[in-house]
Amino acid sequence: MHDQRDRDEDGGTPERRQSALHADVTDGAAEGEAVVFVCATCGIALTGPLTRLPEVPEAPHYAWWDADERGPSPATVPSCRYAIETQPYGAPLVVAQEPGPVMPRHGEHRNVEGKPLVSQGPRGNIVINPDDARGLELQHASPACCGATPDGGMNQLCACGTLVATLCSDCCLPYELHLSARNVRAVRP
C-alpha cells in the first residue's frame, strides 16, 4: 500500500523519482562545469559555484578525543566541490537485522534496547563542505556534545523558512552538509 501511495503522489516509484533527482543535479552542468545550488522554493542561492566530485570522499581521520578545542572534524568534501550521496542518510533511523554503520561515514548506533539502527533517510543528497553554504539557519540540533548530528533529520532552514539541508558538525562525526535533492536545484552561475 505504501509503495502504491508513493507512485500516486509523485508520479512514479521511489527509484524513478531518485533517478530524476540525480538527473536534475547532473544535467545542470557538463563534466567539470560549476553549478550553484538554490532553494527550490524561493530561488535564493545556498552555495557559491561548486564542481562535482565522482563520489563522496572518505571522511578524514580526526582524533577528536585528543583535540585541544572541541569543534567539527575536518570537512569530508573539499571547499568548492560537491558529491552525490548514494546511500540512505539521516532520519528516520530504524532497527536493523545486522549491526553496521548507521549511515555512510558513521559508526554503529543502537536504540535504548541495544538493537542496531540504520538510516532509511533519503538517497541522492548533495554533500558539500558546510563552509560553502550561504544564509542557512540551524533549526534544531539532535543531542550531541558540540554540534549537530543527522539523527533528527533536516536541520537547516533557507531564509524563506524551507528546510533544505542536514548539517553534521559534532566533533566525533564527519563534518558535512547534505543538501536535500528534493528541496534544492542546481543552476549555472
Side-chain angles (χ1 to χ4, degrees):
M1 172 148 169
H2 180 69
D3 288 339
Q4 183 61 43
R5 187 175 60 239
D6 285 345
R7 277 189 214 94
D8 294 343
E9 290 175 1
D10 293 288
T13 64
E15 294 79 18
R16 177 170 281 167
R17 286 192 312 273
Q18 195 61 47
S19 294
L21 293 174
H22 286 297
D24 288 346
V25 171
T26 57
D27 288 349
E31 185 71 28
E33 187 178 349
V35 296
V36 171
F37 290 98
V38 301
C39 175
T41 301
C42 70
I44 279 182
L46 303 174
T47 70
L50 305 176
T51 56
R52 186 171 176 178
L53 295 169
E55 62 185 19
V56 180
E58 286 297 316
H61 174 72
Y62 178 64
W64 57 271
W65 54 89
D66 286 336
D68 291 335
E69 293 182 30
R70 296 216 177 219
S73 303
T76 301
V77 176
S79 188
C80 300
R81 305 299 292 258
Y82 75 94
I84 305 298
E85 182 62 74
T86 59
Q87 299 299 311
Y89 189 88
L93 303 183
V94 298
V95 173
Q97 298 299 320
E98 300 290 325
V102 68
M103 58 192 89
R105 297 166 305 284
H106 288 254
E108 291 183 14
H109 280 14
R110 295 184 180 269
N111 66 10
V112 294
E113 298 162 352
K115 296 179 181 177
L117 298 172
V118 295
S119 171
Q120 277 194 345
R123 294 174 188 253
N125 290 330
I126 300 106
V127 186
I128 69 170
N129 183 323
D131 298 337
D132 287 336
R134 296 179 177 173
L136 297 180
E137 182 181 325
L138 183 66
Q139 179 192 19
H140 65 83
S142 296
C145 66
C146 61
T149 75
D151 300 355
M154 286 197 288
N155 56 22
Q156 297 287 292
L157 288 170
C158 172
C160 73
T162 301
L163 280 168
V164 293
T166 305
L167 175 64
C168 182
S169 63
D170 192 52
C171 63
C172 64
L173 297 172
Y175 186 46
E176 303 172 348
L177 183 69
H178 287 243
L179 297 171
S180 167
R182 287 181 174 235
N183 299 352
V184 304
R185 59 187 170 87
V187 298
R188 292 182 184 181

